[in-house]
Every structure is written in structure tokens, then in C-alpha cells.
Amino acid sequence: MKILAIDSSGLVATVAVAENNNLLGEYTINFKKTHSQTLLPMLEEVKKMIELDLDTVDAIAISGGPGSFTGLRIGSATAKGLGLALDKPLVHVPTLDALAYNLWGSSDVICPLMDARRGQVYTGIYAFEGENFTTIKEPCAISIEELIQDVNELGRKIIFLGDGADVFESVIREKCNVPFRFAPAHMNKQRAASVAVLGMKLYGEGKIQNAAQHKPDYMRLSQAERERMEKQRDFQI
């Protein structure tokens, strides 16, 4: 099985191709450029370097959210366009699941954090029981204080990762009462390699969709949508 994977859900833009148990290529950029500038050139570079014929890809795995509204739209549009052009299925890989999968095999509980602004994080809590990947807390958008309360109640060693871990490091250090660590640089941000490997697992479980069916999971309304609703509510009052 050969999977093309894309993740542009956050600040990182990343593309990978995996075949069975081999990572054939991965291109990851974490720099101040928009994903609309980087994603397609990165894909073309990976394609060229590994001499990839896109027709040989079995499916396209896309990090489907939550995350940046703009980033998710760009990634979704790219995956949908490729799926339609190549007549290939898409695999929707939850962003937080893929982030946690960076730490495959960890004996500690894993907590990916993405900065959701306004004092909130997109987060979930995961664990590996042998080779089984389990979800302790389903992906959600909550305040960092509420998350730390949940972590303290869980009472287990935990590893934090993601851009939210950078943003809320001081709060975590102040309020987290259980033993904790922060993942190192090569594991702590989105990686298309993890999207690809988890995408293969989901593909094997039959969790695929066509390009027309795919849509990102934003998890909450965008700022523009919230402002519009607030204006409508004020007008009604």
C-alpha cells in the first residue's frame, strides 16, 4: 500500500509518501510562509526526488482537523483536487490523533495541544497499550485550565506536544501536578509521516471517503462566523 499524506492544519506544512512499512519521503517546513505558497511546491519536490508516479498511490491521507481554518481549507482543497484528478480515495486523519501518533509506543499518556486562541486549546488525551492506540479523552476545544484539571485527575505521567505546548508552557509548569515532559523538536509538531502511517491503518479498516465527501473538522466556528452571529444577536436585541 502506498499513501500520500498532507498536513497543513497548523503552522507546519508537511508532505510525505509511505509504502507499507517504508517512509519513502517527507518534506516539512515550519517557517513564516503561507501554506498556499509552500504545499504544492513541496509535493512536487517530494514527487521528483523519489520519482513518484501519483497514479501508483492507493489513497491520499489528509490531516482533517481541528486546526487553523485557513490551513485546513488549503490542505483539504489540495487533497480533494488530487483525489478528483487521480480518482483516488481520501482518508480523513484527525489532526490530534496524528500528533499523538508521533510518540508511538510511549509508556506515558500523550497530550497533543494546538493553540485555539482565546485561552483555549484543541486537545485530546491518548495512550498506547502495547501496539493498540487508545483515546482517553476525545478531541475537543477547552481552556488550558480545564485540560490541566483533567490531566491532574487522571494521575498518570504525561507528555505534551504541539504548538499549544509552547504557548502554554508556563501555565503547565505552574499548575500540572503529575509528572510531565515536553516532546523534543523532532516529535513535537505535525508530521505527514504520522498522518501517512495512521492513514494506512484507517484505510485498512475501510475508513475512506471520496473527494466530494471530504470536509475538514473545524470543531468550532471561525472568528468571522462568531462575529457575524454576535452582530445578528445584537441586532435582534
Side-chain angles (χ1 to χ4, degrees):
M1 181 186 296
K2 189 182 290 183
I3 294 281
L4 167 64
I6 298 168
D7 192 330
S8 59
S9 60
L11 298 175
V12 173
T14 175
V15 175
V17 179
E19 184 173 18
N20 299 325
N21 201 36
N22 293 313
L23 179 62
L24 302 182
E26 183 179 29
Y27 193 158
T28 299
I29 291 292
N30 183 12
F31 195 67
K32 298 176 182 179
K33 290 187 177 180
T34 64
H35 297 325
S36 59
Q37 292 175 292
T38 58
L39 205 56
L40 287 176
M42 289 166 61
L43 173 57
E44 186 59 32
E45 185 66 18
V46 169
K47 177 175 171 287
K48 180 175 68 175
M49 292 299 292
I50 65 173
E51 300 177 359
L52 174 66
D53 179 355
L54 287 174
D55 285 326
T56 66
V57 168
D58 294 293
I60 300 157
I62 175 66
S63 178
S68 156
F69 287 84
T70 301
L72 289 174
R73 289 186 182 111
I74 292 170
S76 176
T78 302
K80 286 166 76 75
L82 289 168
L84 286 169
L86 300 169
D87 192 24
K88 302 292 183 180
L90 270 58
V91 183
H92 179 117
V93 179
T95 301
L96 293 162
D97 291 24
L99 258 173
Y101 220 71
N102 286 0
L103 302 177
W104 188 93
S106 172
S107 59
D108 295 344
V109 172
I110 305 165
C111 184
L113 301 173
M114 297 179 68
D115 183 15
R117 312 295 183 186
R118 301 170 72 140
Q120 288 195 321
V121 289
Y122 297 122
T123 189
I125 300 176
Y126 303 84
F128 284 94
E129 298 173 357
E131 295 190 0
N132 294 322
F133 182 53
T134 62
T135 303
I136 297 173
K137 183 178 181 64
E138 292 290 338
C140 58
I142 58 175
S143 70
I144 186 64
E145 289 80 10
E146 185 178 350
L147 171 67
I148 293 175
Q149 182 179 338
D150 291 342
V151 166
N152 288 338
E153 290 175 357
L154 191 61
R156 295 175 60 179
K157 292 181 181 179
I158 194 160
I159 303 177
F160 295 102
L161 73 161
D163 60 59
D166 299 332
V167 173
F168 294 105
E169 179 179 352
S170 61
V171 180
I172 293 169
R173 291 190 181 280
E174 178 187 352
K175 298 187 176 182
C176 192
N177 297 328
V178 298
F180 65 87
R181 295 181 289 162
F182 294 99
H186 65 296
M187 297 178 175
N188 69 5
K189 299 295 189 300
Q190 286 89 335
R191 288 194 60 185
S194 294
V195 177
V197 174
L198 190 50
M200 282 188 191
K201 181 176 182 293
L202 296 173
Y203 183 98
E205 295 170 359
K207 296 177 181 178
I208 61 175
Q209 53 189 189
N210 60 45
Q213 291 172 318
H214 174 73
K215 59 181 181 178
D217 178 12
Y218 297 114
M219 195 166 285
R220 69 179 194 184
L221 297 175
S222 69
Q223 181 176 346
E225 290 169 323
R226 290 196 303 269
E227 289 175 353
R228 185 176 67 249
M229 291 180 65
E230 288 171 2
K231 287 180 180 178
Q232 289 175 341
R233 187 165 56 247
D234 293 342
F235 179 77
Q236 290 171 350
I237 293 172

